[in-house]
Amino acid sequence: MNIHEYDKRKYILGGAVLLVLITYIVQLFSLQILNDQYKSKADSNAFYKKTLYPTRGLIYDRNGKLLVYNRPAYDITFVPREVKKHGLDTLELCRALNITREDFDSYMKKARKRRGYSSYTEQEFMTQLSTEEFAQFQEKLFRFRGFYARKRSIRQYEYDAGGVLFGDIGEVSQKKIDKDPYYKRGDYIGTQGLEASYEVQLRGHKGTEMLLRDAHGRIQGKYRDGALDTLPVRGKDLTLGLDIELQRLGERLMKNKIGSIVAIEPATGEILCMVSSPSYDPRQLTGRARGENHKRLSSDKRKPLLNRAIMGTYPPGSTFKTSQALTFLQEGAITPQTTFPCHNGFLLKGFRLGCHAHYSPIPLVPAIATSCNAYFCWGLHRMFGSNKYANIQEAMDTWRDYMVSMGFGYKLGIDLPGEVRGMIPNSKYYDRHLGKYWKATTVVSISIGQGEVTLTPLQIANLGATIANRGEYIAPHLVSKIEGDTLKKEYLTPKKTMAGKEAYEQVVMGMREAVLNGTCRGANIPGWEVCGKTGTAQNRGKDHSAFMGFAPMNNPKIAIAVYVENGGFGAVYGVPIGALIMELYLNGKLSEESEIKAKEIEERIIYYGTDER
Amino acid sequence: MERTRGNIFSRIDWWIIALFITLAVMGWLSICGASYSYIETDFLAFFDQSERTGKQAMWMGISILAGLVLLCIDKNTYKDLSPVIYIGAIALGILTIFIARDIKGSRSWISIGSFSIQPAEFMKFATTLALASFMGRYGFNITKNSDFFKCVGIILLPMLIIVGQNETGSALVYLSLFLVLYREGMSGITLLMVISAVVYFVVGIRYGETPSDALPSMMVGPYAVTILIQAFSLAMIKWWCKHSETAKIMLLLNISVSLLSYLVAVYLIAFNLMIIQYLLLAFNVGYLLIRARINRETRNVWVAAYIVGAIAFFGSCEYVLHNVLKPHQRVRIEVLLGLKEDLAGAGYNVHQSKIAIGSGGAFGKGFLNGTQTKLKYVPEQDTDFIFCTIGEEQGFIGSVAVLVVFTAFILRLIALAERQNDIFGRVYGYALAAIFFFHFTINVGMVIGIMPVIGIPLPFFSYGGSSFLGFSILLFTFLRIDADREARA
């Protein structure tokens, strides 16, 4: 045997060693260089990105009174698999949480039905326990293995009023999460009212803490001593133009009535109060009873969650006559001296529109003061018949332009979601419905705020503000100040209407006369020059009672609209309610006499039947 | 007889010393990385005797001292004492089974005071020495069956004892000694048979119940085995029978039929591919037998027999595993093949280890900055899975550096073995290289996810005093043997 026969085998063996080396380098290359999924897997393994929730911005009223704030609440969660593993003394748990066995079963059932249920992760058992409720449970928490408590911050309200304005927060929807990566499942987001329209300002900015988590899920400390952590940024506080006392009085006065009150500070467009009745106490929607109360409110046929002030459209009735006077004067259809006859109504070629008894013929100022229907029908007839316009269509569209310039027919752009635009017809509308050959008499009811015209109570109040300002307005808005931020430009710059100052002075005189000697005598407030206009809007049922006014006549501080569904004459509900609100705002308190009146109105009930409203 | 014995330090191979020190330092730093926790940050704590790093440092010191002592022991002493050492180690091994405490089912540790040692580590040394000494005897001829089987006996005896200690992983290391037999003239076919048998067993059983991605009704294991049988038999035809033409024709046929049937099954009609594969193998057997008849090629018959034998072997493996072995024995094999983890937690160890290594990227997260290893995502991270720490903290660059140094170390051992002028020295050197090679291949392969989970340490890296001392003894003995190579007894 040749001793060197097998020498070349050293190359085979050495080659095998090198082959292994190359194979392993290739594998390492594919693991470490080509593949990047391991990096993210390692991160999700080791890093627990803990979200630090900022506190939501607070909301104050115009006098600095705290309206909306945050309160800790506790959600009780459980990990089904852990509970199953360790067993559970159900009776003991029910006792600790002060719930019945039936409650327990129903919470468990609800948790199982929820989207994204997993037996490995924390599931909601009960939500929004108060600190007191939780304190009792916390002592015994260790006995219920697999159960956990999660602290959250929920909204709390200082007053019983303003619910529909503040709105609501709730868990963010999947749709929103898909659209905005800021939100993660389980986050809260403003869903209604100011909470929704100022969500971005109120929410602040979430922070994160990078924690290291070991293989057993235990937190081992901060990653790189917190170098990558971000602190949460607290939400911005909002200050409203709202006067909470005004709001409370309004909601009190509107008890057992359906309708709205909107008060605006004319100079700024700030909403002083915005009542939508029936209203609800926002405090009902926090804490454990939230779910039940929310269900009750949202199934209520009178829709207390609807903000009628911006979502309800009504015929403005006689309050609208002021806008007509402005248009006719500006267009030269009438002068302040123009008189029209009224013999219990407007009579033309067999067409008749009734009016109440007053002297005749009558000029503009008393026509406004007594709310003469005929005067405004004649005015519209004269304007639409004027040869200033090529045809009635042009006249109609000119009229429409005036109305739009006063803020009707389109959204005013208030800082609340869900505002509707109301209805101002144009010539095309009538062409479509009546054919080309319609006459002023066909549409004449628009001049007295009936017919096709509908406005929101906000638009009526804004009309008051416009008159108070003698021809301009700032888009009405609730928020007057955002901490460290500025308001939208449209809430700072006035808009002009198409009517001139002189025309406005005439209307102001008419409205002042109405309070002194006309339909609004009940609106008089001692010591203040109040201007007002009633409205009694016809509709299928009993007339709606409306009032629009402002005070004082010069340098007005408050403009108001009151609208009470089926309240009858304007003077019955609209006027006294409007007067009380203005009095409280102007004097800071109600006189004894007014207090009695307020109580009396508060106790009055209008019966609406059981139909859905 | 020429005697040129100067100072021992002028004659030892400093290359291997340098590589050894490099590996030892890298290893110790890796243990620092693996056992460092975020809670304590004091670097001096690494030398604390109560810490694993401190213990390891102490063992490293002991090992080097032992190494220096070993350098003073003359080569001939080993030759003379090897039977005694072997018998002593075997006796100790058997004793261990009875006196060792049961640690996770393994009876391989003997506690002396606060330290535990694993006699299996010293059995490696004894076996290597015995093998070298036996093969170095005058007149030894491996092609003689009696000598060959005596060698196999020397290797298998400690293997059986270690299997008895329930350390199947460590037992497998002895298989690497067949590489030494190969170098010394054992038939390549024998080596191929041993390797192919191990591969069939591991692949077939390991993936026996893993459904294929493309064809869920088919298991990956058996299919892969049929392909491997084709590959091995074709390799035999080409290099053993030296029939390149036949090999080429059969290769073409096998590949095209396999590929075609695979594509048809995946994209057109799903059917049992195994039938095609078995038909193909049957055809190969028939073809070889016909060729053997026509051309009087006996080697073709052997290849045919190999194919039939391989199928029979694989079939019997499955049969034995599922029908003959008792459940706890089966579990042991399944654990060895990494099947147990799969059943319990979807290959948790390897999965986490790949995440740790993969997350290291090109340059790693930096020394002591690994998150996966610090946070104990990888079990056994300072022992069997130590390479994870390197992969995570040192990245691709660092991992490759370790692999290269290790490979250089093994190749240097082979080079040293080759320069020995007697069979004793060469066998000892090759045995050493083979053992390191086996540990290296299996351990790193397991950690990077291409070898089954067999719990054996990475020499000089994995935490463990016995392991470090055992490898050091193996190495330093060889250093002295190498230094003495010109000195003839």
Side-chain angles (χ1 to χ4, degrees), chain B residues 154-401:
Chain B
I154 290 171
I155 295 169
L156 289 186
L157 184 59
M159 248 182 110
L160 285 174
I161 290 164
I162 295 169
V163 169
Q165 293 175 353
N166 246 337
E167 284 286 323
T168 325
S170 306
L172 289 177
V173 175
Y174 291 83
L175 289 179
S176 66
L177 296 177
F178 279 93
L179 289 175
V180 183
L181 302 190
Y182 171 70
R183 169 62 186 88
E184 292 304 314
M186 180 183 76
S187 161
I189 290 303
T190 315
L191 183 68
L192 190 73
M193 300 248 275
V194 173
I195 292 173
S196 64
V198 171
V199 169
Y200 296 157
F201 178 78
V202 170
V203 172
I205 304 299
R206 174 69 179 78
Y207 299 102
E209 269 150 44
T210 311
S212 143
D213 283 341
L215 281 171
S217 65
M218 190 182 76
M219 299 305 155
V220 174
Y223 184 72
V225 168
T226 58
I227 300 282
L228 284 169
I229 294 174
Q230 289 170 26
F232 274 120
S233 53
L234 289 177
M236 282 165 78
I237 294 166
K238 182 168 163 55
W239 285 292
W240 189 52
C241 306
K242 300 200 166 38
H243 282 166
S244 295
E245 271 311 301
T246 316
K248 217 181 279 173
I249 292 165
M250 288 178 71
L251 182 71
L252 222 62
L253 183 85
N254 280 286
I255 286 182
S256 52
V257 171
S258 297
L259 200 65
L260 198 70
S261 58
Y262 180 80
L263 291 175
V264 168
V266 172
Y267 294 104
L268 293 173
I269 323 149
F271 62 98
N272 193 349
L273 270 181
M274 294 306 292
I275 293 172
I276 299 289
Q277 289 303 320
Y278 282 124
L279 284 176
L280 208 50
L281 286 170
F283 171 82
N284 288 352
V285 170
Y287 182 75
L288 286 168
L289 289 178
I290 289 165
R291 271 195 62 92
R293 255 232 67 151
I294 295 168
N295 302 340
R296 296 174 183 271
E297 293 270 7
T298 38
R299 285 195 168 182
N300 279 355
V301 180
W302 284 114
V303 175
Y306 170 79
I307 295 173
V308 175
I311 296 170
F313 169 76
F314 177 61
S316 61
C317 278
E318 280 204 315
Y319 181 80
V320 167
L321 186 71
H322 293 291
N323 303 312
V324 178
L325 291 182
K326 295 194 181 87
H328 71 273
Q329 291 169 319
R330 187 164 71 232
V331 165
R332 209 170 293 159
I333 289 172
E334 284 169 346
V335 168
L336 171 74
L337 296 177
L339 273 174
K340 191 74 192 307
E341 262 90 7
D342 257 355
L343 298 173
Y348 181 81
N349 286 23
V350 176
H351 180 68
Q352 290 297 342
S353 138
K354 279 163 92 175
I355 288 177
I357 293 175
S359 70
F363 303 103
K365 299 178 184 170
F367 183 53
L368 304 183
N369 278 333
T371 55
Q372 302 304 293
T373 42
K374 297 301 154 300
L375 298 166
K376 322 273 181 239
Y377 279 94
V378 187
E380 310 282 341
Q381 50 174 314
D382 55 358
T383 55
D384 295 347
F385 280 84
I386 188 77
F387 193 71
C388 272
T389 311
I390 302 162
E392 190 185 13
E393 297 190 346
Q394 312 305 326
F396 180 69
I397 304 290
S399 315
V400 170

Side-chain angles (χ1 to χ4, degrees), chain B residues 90-133:
Chain B
I90 294 292
L92 183 64
I94 294 170
L95 188 67
T96 308
I97 301 177
F98 297 102
I99 65 165
R101 274 184 306 135
D102 192 321
I103 300 169
K104 288 185 213 161
S106 150
R107 294 180 171 276
S108 61
W109 292 90
I110 297 178
S111 298
I112 302 162
S114 66
F115 286 106
S116 298
I117 57 159
Q118 210 174 6
E121 293 299 337
F122 306 106
M123 283 167 78
K124 254 180 243 166
F125 170 65
T127 310
T128 307
L129 217 48
L131 194 65
S133 163

